[in-house]
Amino acid sequence: MPHSIFKDKSQLIVVFLCLLLLVLRYLKFPDAVLSWDVFGYYLYLPANYIYYDPALQNTTWLDELIRQYEPTSSLYQLYPMAEGKMLIKYTSGIAILTLPFFLLAHFLAPLFGFPADGLSMPYQLS
């Protein structure tokens, strides 16, 4: 009897279902991954590493991103603070965990002809 890497049929079924989920997930990639609450968790990255505006004092860049990519219908992710500063209401942990992927996307975006603005397709994919 040939030796199989699967000890029984249940292992084969689990592997098959996992592969099926992966295929189905990438057949239709969502248009805006970085939207709504995810946008709030992610906002630390472009604010700090692209626009050098961690206090979100100059929201011109943010207004332009929202106009172009429509990640949110309002900036409910931010709290207004004193002196025109804004505070992101979400913790920065997710941003820290996704920083390597953000940096990879920031490096690859111009190489593939995408804007290095923090929300173009390479950032959405990463």
Side-chain angles (χ1 to χ4, degrees):
M1 175 179 245
H3 184 10
S4 173
I5 60 170
F6 302 107
K7 301 221 185 287
D8 58 33
K9 288 183 181 181
S10 63
Q11 288 179 334
L12 181 62
I13 291 170
V14 168
V15 170
F16 173 75
L17 290 175
C18 289
L19 290 173
L20 181 65
L21 284 174
L22 282 173
V23 168
L24 292 176
R25 169 70 171 97
Y26 288 104
L27 282 178
K28 172 63 174 101
F29 192 79
D31 295 329
V33 174
L34 302 173
S35 60
W36 302 101
D37 286 358
V38 177
F39 178 67
Y41 287 107
Y42 172 78
L43 193 53
Y44 290 98
L45 298 174
N48 283 295
Y49 298 106
I50 296 176
Y51 301 102
Y52 308 106
D53 187 20
L56 302 168
Q57 288 182 296
N58 177 12
T59 59
T60 309
W61 64 269
L62 186 54
D63 295 337
E64 178 58 28
L65 287 178
I66 290 171
R67 185 195 62 72
Q68 185 173 359
Y69 297 102
E70 300 175 355
T72 184
S73 60
S74 68
L75 283 176
Y76 70 89
Q77 299 91 342
L78 305 177
Y79 288 126
M81 303 294 287
E83 302 171 8
K85 296 178 181 179
M86 303 291 269
L87 176 68
I88 301 171
K89 78 176 193 177
Y90 299 96
T91 59
S92 60
I94 299 296
I96 293 168
L97 290 172
T98 58
L99 178 60
F101 305 102
F102 169 84
L103 293 174
L104 178 64
H106 194 61
F107 173 76
L108 293 175
L111 294 176
F112 290 101
F114 291 97
D117 58 8
L119 286 179
S120 63
M121 187 55 68
Y123 300 95
Q124 299 283 339
L125 291 173
S126 70

